[in-house]
């Protein structure tokens, strides 16, 4: 749930590199701004259509349609676009009463308008990670963690620097650590298939993801600590308490809307669980906390930021992205699987039988398949920003005046499935990003709170772990197709994405 906020960086830039990176990013940001706000081709101005309805009543109406209307969440936004013949519209975003004080937003629902949300010279990101409300800081040790900070705040840069360090100091452990943990995952799934004829990928993935992150980044196996194997269960419950106003759990409508969307779940109910997680990270992340102290970060603040980055951002991202990737590839069929298996095994064979960064670089289809999953179903669907000044935001066809202080909201799946940018936008096309034409499309892959062609810096809100996320997703496919020629899945839904059950694994034959 990553997926896009401040996650973990695979490579930590040095101070000089950060300065160069920041200058380059500022230049790229200026270019993106030129496209979004004041392009050479001036478009006709149009008033932002739509309305918020009567106070409270309008927000409740929109909330009900968002969660329970025909077509679900996608249908809610598509209906507004059709009704107003505009991809920039006014509407109320959940949760509204009585969790969020002001649900009113200007929604950006196309690839042209969406990138204004990345430009922190135009939008303020203070406390907007989850949207129009912010969960209680009692859920994060009393601290506003990095994801809720605007880059202009003094401790944003030191905290993001700390997360860059978190991975860079053990980067040599990432590939072998992933292969060991996820190799065990596939062994467990084979056992399940032999025993009951199916295997729940999500359950095994939760345990593997948390174990991998702790072992690779901290050098500690949580299963051998006081946490035991409870980590994923504790994290999932803790995340529910933060995101419950935005989730649908399939409860009866009146019960769900009252308990989840109209009230905040009391943080006290999850305090003991959170304290267990914090105790583990105080001990396991001691060397990273020491590094934070050298950057002027108080030790307890460092602990809670590391916990959030690993458990909410990184574990949450893998919990959503990996089943999504397996789902789309499972549906793609044996022919696609054969192409991927051939590429993976050939590259590994050509590199002495080892999975290395060089071998991964020789697997362009694997990388494209990952990008396509991030495009068609981004792990973090929504982005927010409050306008810092009056401006004109442009869609493909019109300019829209937005006033200082108004909340801008972007629904990413409509931006990354914009038919004006992507052919066959609703289809999963694994080789979409191959070749020069594919490379040109990458700037429209924006799952990381920024274009895939940009690098995160200390002064923006792009996911610090953008490259790390793509790397581990590629490693999942490598591990899968080194072992199996093909596989079959059954797909359902869950509160945080897709539920995936593997029904067959056809072992490698070449």
């Amino acid at each position: 749930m990553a997926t896009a906020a401040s996650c973990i960086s695979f490579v930590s830039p040095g101070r000089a590199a950060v300065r160069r990176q920041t200058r380059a990013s500022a230049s790229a940001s200026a270019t993106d701004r030129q496209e979004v706000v004041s392009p050479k081709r001036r478009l006709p101005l149009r008033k932002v259509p739509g309305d918020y309805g009567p106070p409270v009543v309008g927000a409740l109406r929109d909330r009900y349609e968002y969660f329970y209307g025909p077509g679900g969440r996608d249908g809610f936004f598509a209906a507004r676009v059709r009704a107003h013949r505009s991809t920039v519209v006014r509407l109320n975003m959940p949760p509204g009463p009585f969790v969020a004080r002001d649900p009113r937003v200007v929604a950006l629902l196309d690839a042209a308008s969406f990138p204004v949300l990345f430009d922190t010279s135009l939008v303020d990101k203070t406390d907007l990670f989850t949207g129009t409300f912010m969960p209680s800081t009692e859920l994060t040790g009393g601290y506003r963690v990095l994801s809720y900070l605007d880059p202009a705040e003094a401790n944003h840069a030191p905290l993001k620097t700390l997360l860059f360090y978190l991975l860079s100091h053990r980067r040599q452990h990432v590939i072998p650590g992933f292969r060991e943990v996820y190799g065990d995952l596939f062994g467990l799934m084979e056992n399940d298939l032999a025993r009951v004829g199916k295997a729940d990928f999500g359950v095994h993935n939760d345990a593997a993801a948390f174990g991998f992150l702790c072992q690779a980044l901290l050098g500690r196996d949580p299963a051998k600590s006081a946490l035991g194997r409870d980590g994923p269960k504790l994290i999932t419950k803790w995340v529910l308490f933060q995101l419950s106003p935005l989730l649908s759990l399939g409860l009866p409508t009146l019960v769900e809307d009252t308990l989840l969307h109209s009230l905040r779940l009391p943080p006290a109910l999850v305090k003991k669980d959170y304290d267990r997680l914090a105790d583990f990270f105080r001990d396991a992340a001691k060397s990273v906390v020491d590094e934070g102290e050298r950057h002027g970060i108080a030790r307890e603040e460092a602990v809670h930021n590391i916990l959030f980055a690993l458990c909410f951002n990184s574990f949450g991202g893998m919990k959503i992205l990996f089943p999504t990737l397996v789902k789309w590839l499972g549906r793609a069929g044996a022919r696609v699987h054969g192409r991927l298996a051939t590429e993976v095994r050939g590259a590994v064979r050509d590199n002495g039988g080892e999975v290395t960064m060089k071998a991964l670089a020789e697997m362009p289809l694997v990388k494209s398949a990952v990008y396509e999953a991030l495009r068609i179903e981004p792990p973090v669907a929504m982005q927010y920003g409050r306008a810092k000044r009056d401006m004109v935001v442009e869609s493909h066809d019109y300019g829209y005046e937005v006033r200082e202080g108004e909340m801008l909201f972007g629904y990413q799946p409509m931006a990354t499935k914009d038919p004006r940018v992507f052919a066959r936008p609703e289809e999963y096309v694994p080789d979409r990003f191959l070749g020069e034409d594919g490379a040109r499309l990458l700037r429209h892959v924006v799952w990381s709170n920024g274009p895939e062609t940009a690098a995160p810096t200390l002064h923006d809100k792009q996911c610090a772990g953008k490259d790390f996320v793509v790397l581990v997703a590629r490693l999942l496919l490598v591990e899968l197709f080194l072992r199996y020629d093909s596989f079959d899945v059954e797909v359902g839904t869950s509160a945080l994405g897709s539920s995936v059950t593997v029904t067959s694994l056809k072992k490698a034959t070449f």
Side-chain angles (χ1 to χ4, degrees):
M1 86 190 42
T3 57
S6 297
C7 329
I8 307 172
S9 174
F10 184 56
V11 178
S12 175
R15 289 182 175 84
V18 166
R19 287 194 293 271
R20 291 194 299 271
Q21 185 186 57
T22 302
R23 287 196 295 269
S25 176
S27 174
S29 179
T31 302
D32 289 341
R33 246 186 351 263
Q34 181 71 14
E35 292 179 1
V36 173
V37 179
S38 54
K40 296 175 183 177
R41 177 175 66 94
R42 288 191 62 83
L43 297 174
L45 287 178
R46 182 184 178 189
K47 181 181 177 181
V48 180
D51 67 86
Y52 303 116
V56 181
V57 173
L60 290 173
R61 174 204 66 198
D62 282 0
R63 184 171 82 195
Y64 186 87
E65 291 182 12
Y66 176 92
F67 284 112
Y68 311 112
R73 187 171 66 179
D74 287 0
F76 173 79
F77 296 115
R80 297 304 190 280
V81 170
R82 288 194 302 270
H84 300 293
R85 297 183 180 180
S86 173
T87 51
V88 177
V89 296
R90 295 187 183 278
L91 50 82
N92 297 288
M93 275 300 293
F98 300 92
V99 174
R101 186 179 60 192
D102 187 355
R104 298 173 299 172
V105 302
V106 175
L108 313 177
L109 305 174
D110 61 54
S113 60
F114 191 90
V116 73
L117 292 162
F118 309 147
D119 190 338
T120 53
S121 73
L122 296 174
V123 296
D124 187 287
K125 293 283 193 174
T126 304
D127 296 338
L128 296 181
F129 177 58
T130 48
T132 59
F133 80 104
M134 178 182 170
S136 170
T137 55
E138 291 179 47
L139 293 163
T140 49
Y143 294 93
R144 290 172 61 237
V145 293
L146 177 62
S147 292
Y148 292 96
L149 302 183
D150 184 81
E153 296 184 64
N155 52 341
H156 181 275
L159 287 172
K160 199 165 183 179
T161 298
L162 177 64
L163 298 192
F164 280 131
Y165 174 82
L166 176 61
L167 183 58
S168 67
H169 80 298
R170 286 181 55 86
R171 58 184 174 269
Q172 71 273 19
H173 296 278
V174 171
I175 292 178
F178 188 94
R179 296 206 67 200
E180 179 180 354
V181 172
Y182 274 81
D184 291 343
L185 172 146
F186 286 116
L188 292 171
M189 291 182 65
E190 287 183 17
N191 291 340
D192 287 353
L193 282 165
R195 186 168 49 88
V196 296
K198 59 183 179 180
D200 186 327
F201 178 78
V203 169
H204 291 302
N205 179 60
D206 283 359
F210 187 59
F212 157 69
L213 289 166
C214 293
Q215 290 176 62
L217 306 186
L218 303 176
R220 291 290 298 276
D221 183 352
K224 296 178 181 177
S225 74
L227 271 183
R229 301 190 182 280
D230 293 341
K233 178 181 65 178
L234 300 179
I235 297 167
T236 300
K237 183 178 174 183
W238 170 66
V239 169
L240 171 66
F241 273 64
Q242 295 175 74
L243 298 183
S244 59
L246 302 176
L247 301 178
S248 179
L249 301 181
L251 302 173
T253 300
L254 184 60
V255 173
E256 182 173 273
D257 203 55
T258 301
L259 293 182
L260 296 187
H261 307 148
S262 302
L263 304 168
R264 292 177 185 250
L265 298 177
L269 296 180
V270 78
K271 186 177 188 305
K272 287 184 179 178
D273 296 333
Y274 184 76
D275 287 346
R276 286 184 66 191
L277 290 168
D279 286 344
F280 170 76
F281 282 99
R282 284 189 191 96
D283 180 47
K286 211 169 278 183
S287 66
V288 185
V289 173
D290 290 343
E291 177 68 15
E293 202 167 30
R294 285 190 280 274
H295 288 275
I297 303 168
R299 295 188 70 84
E300 273 298 289
E301 185 172 15
V303 167
H304 293 289
N305 272 275
I306 293 165
L307 189 162
F308 195 89
L310 270 171
C311 297
F312 193 106
N313 297 137
S314 301
F315 170 80
M318 292 172 74
K319 180 181 177 69
I320 296 172
L321 175 60
F322 280 17
T324 296
L325 188 53
V326 172
K327 174 186 79 174
W328 287 107
L329 278 172
R331 289 173 169 174
R335 181 174 297 180
V336 169
H337 300 169
R339 291 177 62 195
L340 286 162
T342 299
E343 179 180 85
V344 167
R345 294 170 201 175
V348 171
R349 187 167 51 248
D350 291 347
N351 285 273
E354 298 293 326
V355 177
T356 62
M357 292 301 293
K358 184 174 181 294
L360 287 168
E362 296 169 11
M363 303 178 195
L365 181 59
V366 167
K367 198 170 189 179
S368 176
V370 169
Y371 285 146
E372 178 69 343
L374 290 165
R375 177 199 70 83
I376 198 168
E377 197 172 337
V380 178
M382 303 176 193
Q383 296 292 341
Y384 290 81
R386 192 173 296 280
K388 287 184 173 180
R389 59 175 173 82
D390 293 353
M391 63 174 124
V392 173
V393 176
E394 298 201 337
S395 68
H396 294 292
D397 301 309
Y398 296 99
Y400 299 87
E401 292 182 342
V402 173
R403 298 302 179 193
E404 180 182 351
E406 287 196 286
M407 182 76 80
L408 296 171
F409 155 77
Y411 184 55
Q412 191 175 148
M414 292 193 78
T416 55
K417 291 189 283 189
D418 186 336
R420 302 277 288 268
V421 173
F422 295 102
R424 297 147 60 200
E426 300 290 341
E427 293 182 35
Y428 178 78
V429 183
D431 56 5
R432 187 185 297 275
F433 297 101
L434 294 182
E436 292 183 7
D437 290 342
R440 281 192 288 269
L441 286 173
L442 276 177
R443 69 188 182 96
H444 299 290
V445 177
V446 291
W447 66 273
S448 64
N449 199 14
E452 190 60 33
T453 50
T457 76
L458 300 181
H459 306 291
D460 61 31
K461 294 301 292 181
Q462 186 166 26
C463 175
K466 177 175 79 77
D467 294 337
F468 176 74
V469 171
V470 174
L471 171 67
V472 293
R474 291 158 70 193
L475 288 172
L476 176 66
L477 297 196
V478 169
E479 205 61 31
L480 178 62
F481 288 109
L482 281 175
R483 294 167 176 270
Y484 310 107
D485 288 343
S486 188
F487 63 98
D488 295 302
V489 297
E490 292 176 352
V491 177
T493 59
S494 73
L496 294 174
S498 300
S499 168
V500 177
T501 300
V502 175
T503 56
S504 75
L505 290 167
K506 301 174 179 65
K507 290 194 175 183
T509 57
F510 65 91

